[in-house]
DNA sequence: GATGAATGAGCATTCATTCAT
DNA sequence: TATGAATGAATGCTCATTCAT
């Protein structure tokens, strides 16, 4: 069997697990569920991932792995103004969270519940890193006199919280926004656009004051 | 045994269940856990509540029961300006969610996971009702020319999402805000104040533009 | 259900477990085996004993509980000569071990294997207590000039080891002694008599020298 | 790979298996344990030995193979007196069992448990052969009027049982004999000497009567 | 000859719930 | 009303073994 196939199988299991964890929660999903939906043998899951807990850990690492350095780069970019950076970050996060909304949903569901402190610390450290980078950008804007004196930490909570709220209360916002839930793609596009525009206007008013 | 004692026992079980659900999730909490921590017989839980699922339902009804009409009243109040109403709502929600943050945590964790559509619909309808009331107030402000044309639904998401974000990422924000986690009361007071001030400034800039 | 019935069920499970452990070893016996042969529900075993390991522990305590003080009494008896005491002990041990040969077999099988140090220590302490009591009797005989100077500890090993050897190599000794294996009762009586006589003659020659 | 290397690998696996079987029992040892400790691929065990059961069988054959004829020779030796032969046999068995005490431990643990009748019969036949040879020597001594009329089979049980008892209750006898368990070599030497002396004195008193 | 991948069967244990009392 | 006893179903996981390469 080729390396690709092996990787694909692992990845396939991870994606199936992600879907189930998002829909039924970590504890609500059994390893049997995952094996069945993934079309693999039950023992395969333990064989590849050791344990259900470790499967979650590997999913987290898999999802976070490719977005480590992007933010770092952006915050150090000398050519963009602080507000341009904020606009970029809004777009980046809205898209990233909407695209990975299943995974994001797991994170917000399981974060408080996580039994393994290892997983908890992994998530905390990633969240902290991301928040520190955005903090740096806002601080830069404040130093340059472009941004007003606002509560930076709470502003970060607003940014993330708004997106999370829309994701996690999908049903409610679909009704409110009169978006058809069945057309997944349409929902995604509309909600992405709406979130981007809102956050730009909201944060512009908040940070710059117009 | 008197009716009062019976009610107290039921309530006691509900509160213990709330604590455990918040800490370990619905699926992560066993009926045995609840019975043990509540100091009651295992069979009593089924005896009183029928099933674990129904225990959650009763907890939701118990928590929502006393906050139904308050918002209704406020939105119809003719003596306050729209902004005064928004300020009141911010304070009301921040306090209510912070005070019931365990329950709120359960709701955000279990909402997407809930197996019973009955519970899902119950939560959706309550959320919808609350959002509709706030929508009405913002619409009133816009009609009066006091509030700018903003995305009402997204603004609601910002309000709720910001509070939820701070609650559910307690660990992260405690570190960021340099608040001691061990002193529960101090944490609660500081975070309440901080959230209220931030949301007022944020929404004032957003809705009114100053 | 009466207390007697409940105790009987526990005891019944213990006896079934003893039989299986003796025949297939602790690890070779599954909780399913025990439940099946005992005619009880699988979950019952965990309900009564908590775990398989603890079932073994309770079996050990159950088997040892009623023979604690008998030996103590005998060793302090002032009316018997040391050799009369040794004769009594030979008879006592041969009968006790033959009658509980299944349990004895488990002990010699699992002693070196026992995973829980708690069980190991329990067995060691019981063995030590018994050996100390016999040591005391031999020492008394030596003080009185009745017994020769022999290696006390090794003599204990001989006493116990001879019985154990016959029990654990039943097949071999049945052939050697030309005893029919199918008639359990006949086997037991013959072997008991043979062991008693042999040990008396052996130890008399060893301790007294005739 | 050369034949030597292959044999060495097989032997290495056997020795590792012996160690684990002795420490955790046959059922308590997994093929994975053996493969891991031996540093070989898991599938290799099945590849070399066919099955776990057969691995045990090969271990037994491996251990017994080199001691088949020694005893035969000795019992036919015309130059030694029956008592000299018994002395030689005591030394031979004590040393052989002490040196192979891990294997001996497995035999006494698994003998009653062994699922395969093939293994059971193998062990029984080896034991029988050995016992028959010693029987012959004692019978010779009795014919010559050197040995008393004693229970030959039980005397054999005493010889083997005493050694086995000391080996299998190592912990107990280490405490009783005040031997340091950590120094394996010291333990082995002391216990060997002690056993030899004890068995000589014991059997001399028993067989010859002095 | 040697091995990574895979698997069906089985493991001990825990689950929410029911029932006789 | 209250509860100890009981249970069928499911849990996560490990087992010895096989097989394609």
């Amino acid at each position: 069997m080729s390396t690709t196939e092996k990787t694909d199988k692992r990845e396939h299991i991870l994606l199936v697990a992600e879907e189930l964890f998002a829909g039924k929660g970590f504890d609500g999903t059994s390893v049997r569920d995952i094996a069945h939906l993934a079309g693999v043998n039950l023992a395969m899951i333990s064989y590849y991932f050791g344990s259900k807990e470790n499967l979650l850990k590997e999913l987290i690492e898999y999802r976070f792995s490719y977005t480590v350095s992007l933010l770092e780069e952006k915050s150090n970019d000398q050519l963009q103004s602080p507000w341009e950076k904020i606009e970029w970050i809004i777009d980046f996060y809205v898209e990233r969270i909407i695209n990975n909304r299943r995974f994001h949903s797991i994170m917000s569901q399981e974060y408080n519940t996580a039994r393994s402190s290892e997983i908890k610390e992994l998530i905390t450290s990633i969240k902290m890193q991301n928040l520190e980078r955005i903090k740096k950008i806002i601080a830069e804007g404040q130093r340059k006199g472009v941004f007003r004196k606002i509560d930076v930490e709470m502003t970060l909570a607003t940014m993330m919280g708004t997106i999370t709220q829309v994701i996690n209360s999908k049903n409610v916002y679909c009704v409110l926004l009169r978006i058809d839930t069945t057309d997944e793609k349409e929902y995604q596009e509309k909600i992405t656009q709406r979130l981007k525009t809102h956050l730009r206007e909201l944060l512009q008013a908040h940070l710059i004051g117009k």
Side-chain angles (χ1 to χ4, degrees), chain A:
Chain A
M1 189 175 278
S2 74
T3 310
T4 316
E5 276 170 341
K6 187 192 150 190
T7 311
D8 282 357
K9 202 171 225 171
R10 275 185 66 96
E11 207 176 342
H12 178 56
I13 295 172
L14 280 177
L15 294 180
V16 165
E18 181 180 51
E19 191 184 332
L20 287 169
F21 288 164
K24 321 205 287 174
F26 179 78
D27 284 312
T29 304
S30 74
V31 178
R32 272 171 179 77
D33 288 340
I34 300 169
H36 186 253
L37 191 62
V40 301
N41 184 282
L42 169 65
M44 188 97 275
I45 312 271
S46 290
Y47 177 70
Y48 273 148
F49 299 98
S51 70
K52 191 186 168 188
E53 187 93 24
N54 200 59
L55 169 59
L56 176 60
K57 208 184 125 201
E58 294 212 19
L59 175 61
I60 294 171
E61 281 160 355
Y62 170 77
R63 277 297 179 212
F64 278 130
S65 64
Y66 58 89
T67 44
V68 172
S69 49
L70 264 173
L71 217 55
E72 180 65 31
E73 240 176 76
K74 181 54 63 178
S75 66
N76 289 330
D77 189 339
Q78 300 298 328
L79 298 172
Q80 286 190 308
S81 71
W83 175 247
E84 280 169 332
K85 286 180 183 173
I86 294 292
E87 281 191 317
W88 183 89
I89 283 172
I90 291 169
D91 289 3
F92 174 76
Y93 268 108
V94 169
E95 271 167 32
R96 191 166 150 282
I97 293 178
I98 296 277
N99 285 333
N100 296 293
R101 67 194 172 290
R102 271 198 290 271
F103 175 69
H104 195 77
S105 193
I106 298 170
M107 289 301 92
S108 41
Q109 271 172 59
E110 304 304 328
Y111 180 59
N112 291 306
T113 312
R115 279 142 300 283
S116 123
S117 60
E118 202 187 351
I119 287 182
K120 217 160 190 163
E121 280 161 23
L122 179 61
I123 303 175
T124 305
S125 92
I126 291 165
K127 283 193 175 186
M128 289 291 290
Q129 279 175 41
N130 290 340
L131 292 184
E132 287 298 344
R133 301 242 158 78
I134 308 178
K135 241 175 117 168
K136 219 170 119 185
I137 295 171
I138 296 181
E140 184 202 345
Q142 290 176 327
R143 230 183 311 109
K144 289 186 176 168
V146 190
F147 291 166
R148 303 202 287 189
K149 279 266 161 252
I150 44 86
D151 190 326
V152 183
E153 286 82 14
M154 288 294 148
T155 303
L156 299 177
T158 291
M159 239 182 91
M160 299 306 179
T162 302
I163 310 175
T164 305
Q165 182 74 5
V166 173
I167 295 296
N168 286 348
S169 297
K170 188 183 163 186
N171 288 352
V172 175
Y173 288 94
C174 276
V175 178
L176 274 176
L177 300 172
R178 290 190 190 84
I179 298 177
D180 185 15
T181 329
T182 54
D183 188 342
E184 184 65 19
K185 215 181 152 192
E186 193 208 347
Y187 159 75
Q188 208 166 320
E189 275 171 19
K190 280 197 178 170
I191 216 78
T192 302
Q193 198 44 56
R194 196 97 174 234
L195 263 170
K196 282 183 183 173
T197 309
H198 167 68
L199 282 175
R200 280 180 191 214
E201 288 174 6
L202 177 74
L203 292 179
Q204 196 171 40
H206 186 52
L207 289 169
I208 306 182
K210 42 177 170 181

